[in-house]
Amino acid sequence: MRYLIAHETPGRIRFDLRGKIPETDAVAFEELFSQLDSVKRADAYPKAGYLAITYRAATKRELRDARRRVIEKMDALSYSEIKQWEPADSIALAPRPRHLISSVATMLVLQLLRRVLLPRPLRLVWTIISSIPFWTLGLKSLLNKRLDVPVLDAAAITLGLLQGKPDTSSNIMLLLNADDALENYTHRRSESGLIRSLLTIPSKARRAFESGDERDVEIADLHIGDVIVVRLGEQVPVDGTVIRGAAAVNQSSLTGEPLAVTREVGDTVYAGTALEEGEIFVRVEDDPHASKLRNIITMVEQSESLKSSDQRHVEQMADALVPWNFLLAGTVALVTRNLSKVSGALMVDYSCALRLTGSIAVMTAQRESAQHGFVVKGSRYFDHMAEADTIVFDKTGTLTTSAPEVESVVAYGGWSRDEALRLAACLEEHFPHPLARAVVNKAFEEGLEHREEHAGVEYIVAHGIVSSLRGKRVVLGSERFVIEQEQVVVTADELDEIHAHAAGMSPLFLSVDRRLRGVIYIKDPLKRTARRVIEELHEEGFEHVIMLTGDNRKSAERIARECGITEYRADLLPEDKYAIIQELQNAGRKVCMVGDGVNDSPALSVSHVSIAMKAGSSIAREAADIALLSDDLESLVELRRLSRMLDRRMRHGYNTAIAVNTLLIALGIIGAIKPTLGSLLHNGTTIALSALNTRRYLPKETKRVDIDHPIA
């Protein structure tokens, strides 16, 4: 990178970038250097071609280290790295403070020039012409039978002109335009911060090669023309065209349509949709990064329609208070006959402060939630999380690790252990469930290669897998499914032996032609943080903590005992979980459901608020209101705390905005402040309250525990 050190003082250095730079490059410089721990602030000046860095250091040694790191970063920086950072969509590019300063400064300079250079008659004409957009907006509201803020603004401007004070009307419009610039800047900064936080979330796809091999790769490593494979329960990671297979695709995240649609060869599938059934091979047709960004932006836009009850209450109150502004102004006009005091009652309204501060508080919470490991799909779910008094956990992959392991394999009916494991892996490789991954990984570790000699595979949710091999029915699944429903013959002695061997593990039964051929015992260890998280959730106000699982009772009892859960149910089907959640809510409880599998989707969809684990199926993540970005259960505690803090902040902001603006209206009515000063103070306090609502809810640094290792 070509540069010169233009100026340097202790704690600060300014680089000359050898000429003007594009605005997008300036933002990239700021973001790249702000990521350094030793940098407190980075400011780029694109027109001047400067970059100023302020160090985060308290001692001379820290200053030297900070300077060294910044110089090293500048030396190593390449133009391609700058371009690679730039977002593909302008909505992800946050406006900078200099943009706001430049916009407001331009307004002030033009206002001053008009005052100095234009004679009074021309200023009057200019004021009338400039008022037309405000009158138009006010008239549209009246035609739609609404008394809202545009009507207030138009009335205040008109009053100034009726008083013969066009300069007052001009000042009012200046303040309104500056207020719009400030609101737009604050809103876009918060929205951009949320999108940028979500963009940092790593995501993967399963790439299919011509050799037949498959490998998980980062989406960023995909290129147009690559082929990926998507299977039942998984999410389509990028936009593309189906070149093989067929699937039922849930597109509700894009279209809002709850029913799955069939996608076959030649059809287009989109990032963010999920497979409810089938398997498809997809050729990448669009830039993977752009697909991900578009999916995130869609989620952010949809979250606007999922506002919290607090946020809706605030906005409804804001609208309801506007007619009272007019009633108050009318009363003042009748009593005082003073148009200046009437203008004072119209210039200050509650709507701006209530709407802006509430939306900023919510966006800050959403951005921070992404930084702490969870994505909340709408602000109403913060409310629901704060209200919940009961939390229900699935077991496998939620309380237990997302990487269970095969402990042992026992063969029956003359089969060898390797034959049983090889066939089980061949069946399981089509499905994303943690237990399926455990079987496939074990076969891979032991070098048991297999060819797909079986016919098509049918996955029966919460039961198991059914296929056929050389005309014989093949079944792999739970004891209940294989023995009770498939009527596979297992002697009492064999069953006792299996139960004794399991000792809290999860056994998978493999049968061929209704005869038992093998049992695979899977160790499903508890996450390290599980017990502590359960205790902390009780401390955070959850009165009931319940575990529901489709696994056997002995395994459920062991996990419940180890993590301190006293209420649990085992041997459940998806419809059983669904019924239990409904029963709890009919009894007056507000239930938070945490799950990860396709079989959890019905229960997730019916709960008061639902949370899907990172390692879970895309169907579960689609059905859930909140998606965890890691499998760290500590995120649940942080989510609960953040939700309750947002609730308190919303209420505090509401009360403060009402009190401050009521005071300003009162001061305007008694003549203690002029209308323009009242408007200035109103806008200033609105921005100040909004700035306060951008403060963090939770500590920036949180200690993370390695959850990929089982409890001792």
Side-chain angles (χ1 to χ4, degrees), residues 499-545:
H499 288 163
H501 191 154
M505 292 186 287
S506 301
L508 280 178
F509 291 70
L510 173 68
S511 76
V512 178
D513 199 23
R514 302 193 185 281
R515 295 185 181 181
L516 185 66
R517 298 305 184 189
V519 177
I520 302 171
Y521 297 91
I522 298 179
K523 182 173 60 176
D524 198 15
L526 188 68
K527 290 176 179 174
R528 284 184 179 275
T529 57
R531 189 177 187 92
R532 184 175 73 249
V533 166
I534 298 302
E535 293 172 354
E536 290 179 351
L537 289 173
H538 277 299
E539 293 171 2
E540 288 295 324
F542 281 104
E543 299 171 10
H544 303 275
V545 179

Side-chain angles (χ1 to χ4, degrees), residues 266-494:
D267 291 337
T268 300
V269 290
Y270 298 97
T273 58
L275 266 67
E276 291 189 354
E277 185 179 333
E279 172 185 275
I280 51 176
F281 287 77
V282 178
R283 182 175 59 244
V284 178
E285 301 287 4
D286 197 4
D287 175 28
H289 179 79
S291 297
K292 180 179 179 182
L293 177 61
R294 184 164 52 254
N295 190 28
I296 288 171
I297 291 173
T298 299
M299 187 276 289
V300 173
E301 290 171 344
Q302 287 178 343
S303 71
E304 284 295 306
S305 65
L306 298 173
K307 293 178 179 177
S308 69
S309 57
D310 279 347
Q311 193 175 0
R312 288 193 182 280
H313 172 70
V314 166
E315 293 183 357
Q316 288 166 0
M317 282 297 295
D319 290 335
L321 288 169
V322 171
W324 291 97
N325 274 88
F326 279 104
L327 180 61
L328 181 61
T331 303
V332 171
L334 290 173
V335 174
T336 67
R337 307 287 181 176
N338 186 320
L339 290 180
S340 179
K341 291 182 179 180
V342 173
S343 182
L346 293 175
M347 281 303 298
V348 177
D349 67 89
Y350 297 95
S351 181
C352 294
L354 294 179
R355 287 177 179 274
L356 184 61
T357 56
S359 64
I360 295 301
V362 169
M363 280 196 175
T364 301
Q366 287 182 307
R367 182 185 68 232
E368 194 169 328
S369 68
Q371 295 169 349
H372 279 269
F374 38 91
V375 173
V376 182
K377 298 180 182 178
S379 61
R380 72 165 67 159
Y381 304 124
F382 284 117
D383 267 5
H384 292 183
M385 187 64 184
E387 296 166 350
D389 55 23
T390 300
I391 187 165
V392 176
F393 288 94
D394 172 52
K395 180 181 75 69
T396 304
T398 302
L399 290 172
T400 60
T401 65
S402 58
E405 300 173 354
V406 172
E407 178 70 13
S408 61
V409 180
V410 177
Y412 291 87
W415 276 42
S416 70
R417 173 189 175 281
D418 287 355
E419 283 179 302
L421 180 57
R422 181 184 287 111
L423 178 56
C426 190
L427 296 170
E428 292 281 25
E429 71 176 356
H430 297 277
F431 304 103
H433 194 275
L435 297 185
R437 289 195 293 268
V439 174
V440 173
N441 290 340
K442 184 66 172 178
F444 178 78
E445 289 171 6
E446 297 189 4
L448 297 177
E449 298 181 359
H450 55 82
R451 292 184 300 170
E452 293 195 3
E453 299 179 4
H454 58 78
V457 176
E458 179 186 3
Y459 176 61
I460 301 176
V461 176
H463 289 78
I465 298 170
V466 175
S467 183
S468 63
L469 178 67
R470 303 183 191 95
K472 298 178 180 178
R473 186 174 178 83
V474 178
V475 177
L476 177 67
S478 65
E479 175 183 336
R480 181 176 180 178
F481 175 52
V482 173
I483 297 178
E484 295 181 16
Q485 297 189 23
E486 287 293 318
Q487 300 295 309
V488 173
V489 178
V490 179
T491 67
D493 289 342
E494 286 176 334

Side-chain angles (χ1 to χ4, degrees), residues 30 56-58 108 119 136 145 167 212 264 285 289 332 336 342 345 401 442 462 471 485 529 538 565 606 650 671 683:
E30 290 177 342
R56 190 189 306 277
L108 291 172
T136 302
K145 299 179 180 180
D167 288 343
E264 300 173 330
E285 301 287 4
H289 179 79
V332 171
T336 67
V342 173
T401 65
K442 184 66 172 178
Q485 297 189 23
T529 57
H538 277 299
I565 292 177
V606 76
M650 291 283 286
N683 292 331

